[in-house]
Amino acid sequence: MGSILSKLRETKVESRTGAVEQGIGQSALDEFARSGVKFVSSHPKIENVYYRAVHDLMNCIVPSASGGPMLIEGAVFIGNWLESTGTISTELLSRFCPEAAQATFELFADFQRPDGLIPYKLLASGPSFRQIQMVTPLARSVWNHYCLHRDKKFLEKMYHAICRNDQWLEKYRNTRNTGCVEAFCTFDTGNDASPRFWHVPDVPYMADASRYDPDSPILPFLAPDMTANVYCQRMYLGRMADELHQNGASWEDKARRSLESLMRCCYDQTDHYFYDRDRHDRFVRVQSDNLMRVLACEVGDDAMFEDALRRYLLNTKKYFCRYPITTIAMDDPGFSQSFEFNSWAGQVSFLTQIRLPHAFEYHHRYVELTWILHPIITALSRFKKFSGSLSAWLGHEGYGDNYTPTMLCVLDYLERMSGIFPTPQGELWFTALIPRGIDHGEVVAEETGYSRIVDGVCFEFVNEGEASSVYKNGEPLYRFPYGIRLVTDRTGAFRGLIGMIPRRIQGIIGYQNRDIPFAVSGNERLEYTGTDFNSTANPGVIPPNYGVYDTITL
C-alpha cells in the first residue's frame, strides 16, 4: 500500500481541524466528517492550509435569527450576503455540509418581504432590504444543491420565493422599460470602490431598494451582470417548474426576452464587451469584472466565450495576471495595484475566483481553467489569514482575514484539480493533476490523496506523479495516467474521460480487470460506449495572449 493511501486512510478530520468555537459549528464539522472528504499531500504546507480552512469555515457557520445554522461572509462582514454567501458560497458548502447549506438557502425564503423582495443581507438579528445586491443567480445555486441532494419540498419552497422576487425586480428595476435590470447604486452589485461606479452613491436613495437618486446625472444604469443574473435565474426557474410539474416554457420565454435586452442594450459590438449604459444611453466604458459575471451566468455560445478568452480573460494586458484574474482590466485607467483595502478596482478577489469555474466548465474549457487554479493554489499554500483578496503581481494576502469565500476556494480548487468532484449532472470527476507549485522552485505537492463518501460508498483517489488510482470501499477500481479527468456515475461506473493538459495523451485505463487504451487531446471529452470511445467535444486549447487581439496568429 502506497504511503499517500496509508496517510489518507489514517487521517482523522476532527484531529486535524481541532475543536470549533460553538456548538452549531461543531455540528457542521460533524457533517463535514460524515461526507468522508479528506485531503492529504506529500508536503505538509498545503495540507495544513486545507485543514485550517475547514476549521475556520466551520467557525463561520453560526446561529441565524431563526436559530438554525447560517453561513456568514467572514472578515468584517458578519452576516450572509445574497450576492456571495447566500449563493455561490453556500452552493460550494453544499458539497461538504448539505444540511447547513440548505438551512442557509431557506433563510432567504423565510425572511422574504410581503411584496416579494428577498433580503440582500441576513444578520443574526434578522434581514436587511436596503439594496438588492445580486451577482451569482440564486436559482442556479438552489438547483445545483437540489440535484445533489434531491429534497423536492426544499425546491418548491425556493422556487416560489424566487418567482416572487423576479416579479419585484420586474416592477421596480425596469424604470426605463428596456427589459434590463437597473443598478441604482454601487452596492447593488457589490462592486465596492470600483471605477465602474465612480460618481454613483453606494446605497439607493433614502435607503429604499426601489428608488434611485433623482438628482443623479447618470443613474439608473442598465446593468449587464444583473440582467444576466435574471436571464440565468429564469432559465433555471424553468427547470424547477418542469421538475415540479409546472409550466417551465413560460420561464424560458421570459429568459429569452432578458437575453435579447442584454445583448441589445449592454453588449458593445466593437469591443466585444458588456458595459453598463447610463441614463443618457452611453456606455460606461470601464472594463470591469462585468464580463466574467455575465459569462458565468451562461450568456453566449462557445464561440463568444472563446473570443472573450482570447481578447480578455487569457490576455496578459487585460485580466490574465500572474495570479489570475483581476477585477479590472490591467490596462484600464481605473486599475489600481493596491490590495490592502476593500476594493474591486484591480485586486484579485476570492469571490471572483469561486464564481469563475462555472463559466469555464460550461464551455468545456477545462485546461484553461487549470491555468487559474494552479497559481491560486500556489498562493493559497502560503496563506496565514484567509484574506479576501491577493496581489495580482505577488500573490500576497490582501484586505481582511477569516473570509469564507477564500476558505471555500481552498476546498473547491483542490477538489476540482486533484480530488473527487460530484457534479449536479450525477457524475463524479477524478482529476489526475497535481498542484506542484509555480513560485521560486517551491514545491506545493508531489503526490496527493483525496476521499469522499457518495451514497454510502467510500471512494479514495491517489495521485502519485505519473499514475493515479481509485479505490471503492477499499478495493482497487481504476488506474490511469496523469493529465486526464476520469468521469464516472455516482456508483463509480465508467462514463468517459476529459483531457486536462494541452498535449495529447495516450495511455491505458485499468478498470475491472480490463486494460482500456485511449488517446485524448486537451479539453476533449470521450464518452465510453462499453467497448470504445466517442469524442463528444474537442474544442482545442487556447493559448494565453499578449496585448492586442490578433486574429492572424491566434
Side-chain angles (χ1 to χ4, degrees), residues 361-430:
E361 291 169 352
Y362 182 78
H363 293 286
H364 317 290
R365 292 294 171 182
Y366 310 102
V367 174
E368 293 86 344
L369 177 59
T370 67
W371 302 340
I372 295 174
L373 303 185
H374 197 171
I376 294 297
I377 291 172
T378 301
L380 286 167
S381 72
R382 302 189 293 265
F383 269 30
K384 305 295 184 185
K385 61 177 185 173
F386 298 120
S387 66
S389 63
L390 77 161
S391 162
W393 266 243
L394 302 173
H396 292 173
E397 289 187 79
Y399 173 79
D401 55 25
N402 202 41
Y403 193 54
T404 298
T406 311
M407 304 164 200
L408 285 163
C409 189
V410 174
L411 275 57
D412 181 60
Y413 277 24
L414 285 170
E415 185 163 278
R416 288 179 192 273
M417 192 165 190
S418 305
I420 306 169
F421 184 93
T423 76
Q425 293 75 35
E427 296 178 338
L428 299 179
W429 291 352
F430 300 83

Side-chain angles (χ1 to χ4, degrees), residues 23-35 54 57-64 66-72 80 85-87 89-108 110 122 145 149 151 154 158 404 408:
I24 207 159
Q26 183 61 50
S27 296
L29 180 59
D30 295 341
E31 188 180 4
F32 185 96
R34 290 195 298 273
S35 75
V54 174
L57 178 64
M58 299 304 113
N59 275 331
C60 287
I61 298 173
V62 304
S64 68
S66 59
M70 177 179 74
L71 182 67
I72 62 171
N80 183 302
T85 345
T87 49
S89 292
T90 302
E91 179 183 336
L92 299 188
L93 181 68
S94 173
R95 302 206 307 265
F96 308 97
C97 303
E99 294 173 14
Q102 182 159 314
T104 299
F105 279 133
E106 289 189 276
L107 290 169
F108 288 96
D110 293 340
L122 296 164
H145 172 85
H149 307 294
D151 183 338
F154 161 78
M158 297 305 299
T404 298
L408 285 163

Side-chain angles (χ1 to χ4, degrees), residues 159 234-235 237-239 241-242 246-253:
Y159 171 75
R234 287 174 168 178
M235 291 297 293
L237 285 169
R239 296 187 190 187
D242 288 341
Q246 300 187 31
N247 182 14
S250 64
W251 282 112
E252 292 174 7
D253 184 59

Side-chain angles (χ1 to χ4, degrees), residues 208-419:
D208 183 344
S210 68
R211 303 174 69 186
Y212 65 89
D213 184 354
D215 297 322
S216 169
I218 51 178
L219 289 178
F221 283 180
L222 307 181
D225 50 350
M226 296 166 71
T227 305
N229 177 298
V230 167
Y231 157 73
C232 190
Q233 290 223 114
R234 287 174 168 178
M235 291 297 293
Y236 279 83
L237 285 169
R239 296 187 190 187
M240 292 182 186
D242 288 341
E243 183 74 5
L244 297 168
H245 306 293
Q246 300 187 31
N247 182 14
S250 64
W251 282 112
E252 292 174 7
D253 184 59
K254 289 182 178 181
R256 177 187 54 78
R257 294 200 301 269
S258 289
L259 182 60
E260 289 172 353
S261 298
L262 171 68
M263 299 304 296
R264 183 180 67 253
C265 298
C266 298
Y267 186 65
D268 178 37
Q269 298 282 353
T270 301
D271 291 352
H272 293 228
Y273 211 90
F274 291 93
Y275 296 114
D276 299 291
R277 196 182 279 273
D278 75 4
R279 71 183 299 170
H280 305 288
D281 216 29
R282 303 171 302 181
F283 282 134
V284 182
R285 292 188 181 277
V286 175
Q287 293 191 341
S288 69
D289 67 327
N290 240 332
L291 176 66
M292 189 69 253
R293 292 177 174 202
V294 171
L295 295 172
C297 286
E298 303 177 13
V299 169
D301 58 13
D302 291 346
M304 174 180 276
F305 191 72
E306 178 178 336
D307 184 70
L309 290 178
R310 295 185 188 277
R311 292 178 185 272
Y312 295 105
L313 300 178
L314 296 182
N315 188 327
T316 60
K317 283 188 170 58
K318 293 291 186 180
Y319 291 95
F320 199 52
C321 56
R322 182 71 173 88
Y323 300 88
I325 64 172
T326 56
T327 49
I328 293 286
M330 289 177 280
D331 63 351
D332 191 282
F335 177 80
S336 170
Q337 290 193 37
S338 176
F339 59 96
E340 296 177 348
F341 61 99
N342 182 28
S343 164
W344 288 75
Q347 60 188 239
V348 176
S349 165
F350 279 100
L351 262 178
T352 299
Q353 297 310 122
I354 61 176
R355 288 168 178 154
L356 65 83
H358 181 79
F360 281 74
E361 291 169 352
Y362 182 78
H363 293 286
H364 317 290
R365 292 294 171 182
Y366 310 102
V367 174
E368 293 86 344
L369 177 59
T370 67
W371 302 340
I372 295 174
L373 303 185
H374 197 171
I376 294 297
I377 291 172
T378 301
L380 286 167
S381 72
R382 302 189 293 265
F383 269 30
K384 305 295 184 185
K385 61 177 185 173
F386 298 120
S387 66
S389 63
L390 77 161
S391 162
W393 266 243
L394 302 173
H396 292 173
E397 289 187 79
Y399 173 79
D401 55 25
N402 202 41
Y403 193 54
T404 298
T406 311
M407 304 164 200
L408 285 163
C409 189
V410 174
L411 275 57
D412 181 60
Y413 277 24
L414 285 170
E415 185 163 278
R416 288 179 192 273
M417 192 165 190
S418 305

Side-chain angles (χ1 to χ4, degrees), residues 310 545 548-554:
R310 295 185 188 277
N545 191 18
V548 177
Y549 177 73
D550 188 337
T551 57
I552 296 174
T553 61
L554 293 179

